[in-house]
Amino acid sequence: MTGVYILQSSKNNSYYIGSTNNINRRIVQHENGLVKSTRNILPVELKLFYKCDSLTQARQLEYKIKKLKRKDLIESMISEQKIDIGS
């Protein structure tokens, strides 16, 4: 399943935003410390997954979310279980 996902670290409560074409494989990679960006903040928990039609669309959405750089907006997306970043 292709989409954008948000993980939260149990260690320091930081968020990681990524995109993938196989969410199950990607979560296993994170959990096993195979992703450099999350290796030092394990354990992580999947907080949100937003399905996209293509990996290109998922990566564009990932980039837009990362540009927000606002924890309150990310937390709002998680609490509402939807991604709404406008145009």
Side-chain angles (χ1 to χ4, degrees):
M1 194 178 324
T2 302
V4 175
Y5 62 97
I6 299 176
L7 302 175
Q8 185 175 21
S9 168
S10 298
K11 186 175 183 178
N12 65 5
N13 290 322
S14 64
Y15 292 102
Y16 175 86
I17 301 153
S19 57
T20 184
N21 61 356
N22 185 330
I23 188 64
N24 296 322
R25 173 186 47 82
R26 193 64 174 149
I27 295 298
V28 169
Q29 290 174 334
H30 282 288
E31 290 173 345
N32 290 319
L34 301 175
V35 180
K36 187 176 180 180
S37 300
T38 57
R39 187 177 302 149
N40 293 321
I41 62 169
L42 291 174
V44 292
E45 178 182 353
L46 180 64
K47 291 294 189 173
L48 178 67
F49 181 76
Y50 183 81
K51 188 176 177 190
C52 295
D53 294 330
S54 68
L55 190 55
T56 300
Q57 180 188 32
R59 288 193 173 143
Q60 289 171 345
L61 186 53
E62 173 192 0
Y63 178 74
K64 286 181 181 181
I65 295 169
K66 285 181 175 179
K67 278 180 47 176
L68 295 175
K69 295 186 181 186
R70 287 189 44 199
K71 191 172 184 175
D72 60 324
L73 292 177
I74 293 170
E75 289 172 347
S76 175
M77 288 179 205
I78 292 168
S79 68
E80 295 175 17
Q81 287 295 295
K82 66 178 184 177
I83 294 178
D84 182 15
I85 60 169
S87 296

